[in-house]
Amino acid sequence: FAKYCLLFLMQTVRTYIKILLHITHNNDSFRYVAIISGISLGDPQYDPMPLQLFVDLVTGQLGSLKDQTFYSKVVRLIVAGDSLSKHTRDSTSAKQAKYLTTKTKAASISAAQELDDVLTQLVSCIFVDLMPGQFDPASFSLPQQPLHRCIFPQAAQYTSFQSVTNPYEADIDGISFLGTSGQNIQNIQQYTKLRDSVKIAETTLKCRHIAPTCPDTLGCYPYDEEDPFILRDCPHVYFVGNQRKFDAKMSEGDQGQKTLVVSVPKFFDSNQVVLVNLKDLSCFPVSVATLIGEECVSMEKGGGANSEEEMEEDELLPDVNILPDDEGDDME
């Protein structure tokens, strides 16, 4: 009986979500796609407060009426890789005898359970596309295959949850999105003097190849007939995740086609989520950091409020900014 009650409740929730999404879709006002990357669950320095604040904002459980009205226009969330921290990949246990690690619980298990709880809260209100990253439990070579749904037993029950590949391509309300979890950009930065993520991404876009270092210095599956990283169509939005800071640029091609190139910062370091307006392709970051969290980050990095140079390097965020300013960092 409890099982049937649970199934009935889940079906009711799904129907309610579809009604809300239908109302939002038919609204003539702006609609947004949120992009987040580098959550790094399982890191020893991980602070769950900023992520939970963002979840509560999107699900309408936090903020004023104005805030709730604004975040109700977020129709989809793209998680651009590295949801789990590199600390969850314990290589020392693989070198030990099995009888010494029989009672040892892998750090990735608890981190994956925590990620499942977060995704369950999100998919109850909006569509969520989960991309694998460098430190996620997925294949190493590009293109990375979707994370298995059995890792997320709660979130996988919702039709609004989708585990996708990396690179990822989607069409959202007639706007084509193309993005990676950042390995292609980070690999170019390792072997060249280029540091600007947006300029590198724009160069790969104009060269019509999003991973030019494959397979020389970046692992990928062997393809003998067709290169899957060659661009045949120009996307409206091209994003790269797990970058040092937020940046965006409207790139124009030879034939007049325009693409919004977005550098998505690591949420673990910046506490920032990027919002893309589907109507005019404007783009801006939203900070969900708290004053306490910033003081902790400043102390851990050895910086201080008295050091202006170190503050510029660390790029500390404002105290609280859960609603973007009209005079903020809107970019077209």
Side-chain angles (χ1 to χ4, degrees):
F1 178 78
K3 180 179 180 180
Y4 287 109
C5 290
L6 181 60
L7 291 175
F8 175 78
L9 180 61
M10 292 176 58
Q11 189 65 31
T12 304
V13 172
R14 290 177 182 175
T15 305
Y16 183 68
I17 294 172
K18 291 180 179 179
I19 294 174
L20 290 178
L21 293 176
H22 180 72
I23 294 174
T24 306
H25 180 78
N26 292 330
N27 195 354
D28 293 334
S29 61
F30 292 157
R31 294 187 297 274
Y32 298 91
V33 171
I35 308 175
I36 186 175
S37 68
I39 301 175
S40 298
L41 293 172
D43 191 281
Q45 306 297 330
Y46 170 71
D47 181 14
M49 178 65 71
L51 181 60
Q52 190 60 47
L53 283 174
F54 171 71
V55 172
D56 291 341
L57 283 170
V58 174
T59 56
Q61 302 181 45
L62 184 66
S64 62
L65 180 60
K66 182 180 178 181
D67 299 332
Q68 295 177 0
T69 302
F70 176 81
Y71 286 99
S72 66
K73 300 174 184 178
V74 178
V75 296
R76 187 181 294 256
L77 172 66
I78 300 176
V79 184
D82 283 357
S83 301
L84 271 61
S85 169
K86 62 181 180 180
H87 296 279
T88 60
R89 313 190 83 177
D90 188 7
S91 59
T92 58
S93 60
K95 302 177 182 179
Q96 296 178 348
K98 290 185 177 181
Y99 71 90
L100 296 176
T101 59
T102 53
K103 297 183 179 180
T104 303
K105 184 179 180 180
S108 58
I109 296 179
S110 58
Q113 291 175 347
E114 188 174 357
L115 178 60
D116 186 25
D117 294 336
V118 172
L119 292 175
T120 303
Q121 298 178 62
L122 290 168
V123 296
S124 63
C125 294
I126 61 173
F127 286 101
V128 176
D129 297 335
L130 178 64
M131 298 172 56
Q134 180 180 1
F135 304 116
D136 294 325
S139 56
F140 172 76
S141 301
L142 295 180
Q144 288 183 296
Q145 300 307 299
L147 297 172
H148 203 283
R149 295 176 67 89
C150 69
I151 304 177
F152 315 103
Q154 301 179 77
Q157 301 297 323
Y158 293 83
T159 56
S160 53
F161 171 74
Q162 185 178 10
S163 183
V164 299
T165 61
N166 172 37
Y168 171 55
E169 187 176 11
D171 185 277
I172 305 174
D173 285 350
I175 303 298
S176 58
F177 281 74
L178 174 65
T180 70
S181 295
Q183 294 100 314
N184 57 332
I185 305 300
Q186 294 168 358
N187 191 257
I188 294 176
Q189 291 174 338
Q190 290 177 356
Y191 292 94
T192 65
K193 295 182 179 180
L194 301 175
R195 291 295 177 265
D196 193 327
S197 301
V198 168
K199 289 185 179 179
I200 297 175
E202 185 183 16
T203 303
T204 60
L205 183 66
K206 292 183 177 180
C207 293
R208 299 183 181 181
H209 199 289
I210 60 176
T213 57
C214 286
D216 298 326
T217 57
L218 185 61
C220 72
Y221 285 101
Y223 294 95
D224 56 349
E225 296 181 357
E226 184 178 0
D227 191 341
F229 304 111
I230 294 178
L231 296 179
R232 292 172 174 80
D233 298 317
C234 184
H236 293 104
V237 180
Y238 176 38
F239 66 89
V240 289
N242 297 289
Q243 301 305 306
R244 180 175 175 269
K245 63 179 181 179
F246 165 79
D247 198 3
K249 179 182 180 181
M250 185 64 72
S251 177
E252 186 171 354
D254 298 334
Q255 300 178 359
Q257 64 271 38
K258 294 183 179 180
T259 299
L260 176 64
V261 183
V262 185
S263 171
V264 183
K266 293 182 180 180
F267 186 81
F268 178 79
D269 296 329
S270 65
N271 294 330
Q272 287 183 326
V273 181
V274 177
L275 295 185
V276 178
N277 192 326
L278 293 177
K279 189 172 184 179
D280 57 5
L281 291 185
S282 60
C283 178
F284 50 85
V286 175
S287 302
V288 290
T290 61
L291 179 61
I292 298 177
E294 290 175 7
E295 290 178 350
C296 292
V297 172
S298 176
M299 291 173 61
E300 289 168 3
K301 292 185 178 180
N306 297 328
S307 177
E308 295 182 358
E309 295 181 357
E310 294 181 357
M311 287 181 64
E312 291 180 358
E313 293 178 356
D314 293 341
E315 297 180 356
L316 298 180
L317 304 174
D319 295 345
V320 177
N321 181 17
I322 61 175
L323 185 64
D325 239 348
D326 294 336
E327 301 178 357
D329 297 327
D330 291 10
M331 302 194 64
E332 298 183 356

